[in-house]
Amino acid sequence: MAPNDEENIDAVEESDDDEVEEVAGEEATDLSNSDVCTKYQEASKIVNLTLEGLVTQCIPGAKILDLCEFGTKVMEAAAAKLYTKKVNGKTVDRGVAFPVCISVNDTVCNFSPLETEEVEPLKAGDIVKMDLGCHLDGYIAVAAHTCVVKESADDAEPPKDDDLAKCAVAAYNAMLVAAASITAGKTNTDVTLAVDRVAKAYGVKPISSVRMHQMKRYVLDGVKEVALNVPQPDDPEEEKVPDCTFEQAEVYAVDVAMSTGDGRARLGTERTTIFKRNVEQQYLLKSKASRQLLGEVDKRFPTLPFTMRQLTDVRTAKLGITECVNHGLLTPYPILHEYSGKVAHFKCTVLLLPSGTARVTGLSMPEYFKTDVQPDEETQKVLTKIADAEAKKAAKKAAKKKNKKKKK
């Protein structure tokens, strides 16, 4: 966690239990509202729980479709237990904010297959990148994690891979440093430079198409963005990210993917299955299949991404999806590949609270990712602060648990 995370998280966790069952009316929808903080925290717990479950399921022979469905069921079941009271006669919206994606080896992101698609099951040594999101009342928490499939569940470590380990350590440390750099008053350029510094120290490349985004209620990809690569004079105009300054009470998805290759993700041949409604775009569709598809999307997935697997008639959706995309009604999340090297992907959610930045999602890096390559001095200082804060928080929790046992 970031330097002030222990105070921030404790402040959220010590909220009254009743807050989880209450939903504010027409109140502030940012972190200045304590109920909003609680919703982000509870959604974050569900995200972390789901990631932990998925890691245990990544074994030889496991099917990617089954993993996606498993993660979805975990999130939906956990979310369904919270905010069960109706507000103004309506059920509080909650569930999946970003479909579970299981991207293997050279696949970087957004792989969530349909039931009819044949995909090779996992095998020992496969690099698995899992990516997902959950929301409670529209308040979103996201995370991504990378692990390697072991020969068997009894094995302590997967097959050794020094290049991948170096890449994973770099990606994870870059995520930590980026999260710590996103504080009120700093800019997206500050974060990009921090990520670039980590990548150079480890000799890897950030995936150029990956972006960090501000998140708001029901908004996964906000206007404020952070690029992983330092902009170059000859970069295409559409790839340049406008300057922005972070402010208190904002929420960000800190997304980092690194490669041992050239860092340029490319489109694959697989069918894109994840889309998001572009609410600002309207068009009178010609095809009946397209109109049927858009009608269901507007009703069930008006703002957040969905996978075609969730639709009631996938066959009709396949027929109508092209027209919807061509006219800008749906935004695709294409499946990307990095064929020139090995990829590691980590993502967390951070809350910019009055006392500092709190990192609320993301698992610890697997212990088998080890490298002799050392970070630069400035990065090491930040990592040491983060480690000290985590140790302090762990000690505080242990003492609290011990005191509770004594009282019993």
Side-chain angles (χ1 to χ4, degrees):
M1 292 191 175
N4 290 322
D5 280 358
E6 71 274 18
E7 291 91 356
N8 300 331
I9 299 301
D10 288 343
V12 175
E13 289 178 344
E14 288 169 7
S15 300
D16 292 336
D17 292 338
D18 291 341
E19 283 191 311
V20 180
E21 288 299 329
E22 295 174 359
V23 180
E26 296 298 323
E27 298 180 4
T29 58
D30 63 16
L31 296 174
S32 62
N33 182 335
S34 62
D35 187 52
V36 170
C37 289
T38 303
K39 288 169 186 172
Y40 275 118
Q41 177 67 12
E42 294 299 323
S44 298
K45 290 177 182 177
I46 294 171
V47 165
N48 291 338
L49 175 70
T50 306
L51 282 180
E52 289 169 355
L54 282 169
V55 170
T56 66
Q57 300 295 312
C58 288
I59 58 176
K63 295 181 179 179
I64 293 178
L65 176 62
D66 291 345
L67 293 173
C68 292
E69 294 289 359
F70 169 81
T72 301
K73 288 176 181 176
V74 171
M75 279 196 287
E76 289 179 340
K81 295 177 182 178
L82 302 176
Y83 297 99
T84 55
K85 293 179 182 178
K86 290 186 177 182
V87 178
N88 298 325
K90 294 182 180 180
T91 303
V92 176
D93 189 22
R94 58 209 189 276
V96 177
F98 188 78
V100 179
C101 295
I102 304 294
S103 304
V104 181
N105 296 331
D106 60 65
T107 307
V108 178
C109 58
N110 300 334
F111 192 76
S112 190
L114 302 178
E115 293 179 1
T116 54
E117 295 174 338
E118 290 188 16
V119 182
E120 185 180 346
L122 296 182
K123 61 183 182 300
D126 277 346
I127 308 163
V128 181
K129 284 86 65 185
M130 51 195 76
D131 190 0
L132 54 92
C134 176
H135 80 95
L136 295 173
D137 197 24
Y139 298 102
I140 304 164
V142 295
H145 187 71
T146 298
C147 67
V148 179
V149 180
K150 301 175 184 178
E151 292 281 357
S152 70
D154 296 330
D155 288 347
E157 296 186 359
K160 190 176 181 181
D161 188 329
D162 291 337
D163 283 344
L164 173 62
K166 180 182 70 171
C167 184
V169 171
Y172 190 79
N173 285 347
M175 181 194 72
L176 294 181
V177 171
S181 300
I182 298 179
T183 59
K186 285 197 173 184
T187 68
N188 53 353
T189 301
D190 295 328
V191 180
T192 301
L193 291 173
V195 171
D196 182 66
R197 192 172 62 243
V198 176
K200 286 179 177 175
Y202 286 95
V204 297
K205 295 278 189 181
I207 299 294
S208 58
S209 56
V210 174
R211 296 279 188 274
M212 304 181 198
H213 287 272
Q214 181 186 8
M215 296 190 293
K216 296 183 178 181
R217 191 182 187 199
Y218 286 113
V219 178
L220 187 68
D221 303 319
V223 174
K224 291 185 178 181
E225 292 184 315
V226 181
L228 298 191
N229 279 321
V230 175
Q232 302 300 318
D234 57 346
D235 285 347
E237 199 61 36
E238 62 271 15
E239 290 185 10
K240 294 179 180 178
V241 174
D243 293 339
C244 67
T245 301
F246 309 122
E247 299 175 39
Q248 191 176 304
E250 292 181 335
V251 179
Y252 285 87
V254 182
D255 197 354
V256 178
M258 296 281 189
S259 167
T260 59
D262 61 18
R264 296 194 174 277
R266 298 163 174 83
L267 290 173
T269 58
E270 305 95 336
R271 176 194 298 275
T272 297
T273 61
I274 297 176
F275 300 86
K276 182 181 67 174
R277 177 71 165 100
N278 183 357
V279 294
E280 297 177 353
Q281 191 71 19
Q282 300 297 326
Y283 178 80
L284 189 59
L285 294 164
K286 306 289 191 296
S287 162
K288 181 180 177 181
S290 301
R291 293 194 299 272
Q292 182 177 322
L293 166 63
L294 191 65
E296 182 175 0
V297 171
D298 283 342
K299 185 177 180 180
R300 297 179 58 202
F301 313 104
T303 55
L304 294 173
F306 63 93
T307 169
M308 290 173 67
R309 220 173 38 248
Q310 295 172 282
L311 300 171
T312 54
D313 188 342
V314 176
R315 183 174 175 276
T316 299
K318 287 179 181 179
L319 297 173
I321 203 81
T322 301
E323 186 181 11
C324 290
V325 171
N326 287 345
H327 293 287
L329 300 172
L330 295 179
T331 301
Y333 285 73
I335 298 166
L336 300 176
H337 293 261
E338 218 295 33
Y339 298 110
S340 67
K342 294 172 181 177
V343 176
H345 183 199
F346 293 96
K347 183 195 299 183
C348 67
T349 300
V350 295
L351 313 180
L352 274 63
L353 298 172
S355 53
T357 300
R359 179 163 51 89
V360 291
T361 66
L363 303 184
S364 298
M365 182 178 65
E367 292 182 356
Y368 47 75
F369 287 142
K370 301 172 184 175
T371 180
D372 293 330
V373 181
Q374 296 298 311
D376 62 280
E377 186 177 349
E378 193 173 345
T379 296
Q380 187 57 60
K381 286 179 181 178
V382 178
L383 294 175
T384 300
K385 280 186 179 180
I386 293 169
D388 290 345
E390 289 179 340
K392 184 179 176 182
K393 179 176 171 60
K396 187 176 179 181
K397 276 194 171 181
K400 201 172 182 181
K401 193 174 180 181
K402 190 176 181 180
N403 290 335
K404 280 186 178 179
K405 285 184 178 179
K406 285 182 177 180
K407 289 179 181 179
K408 289 181 181 180

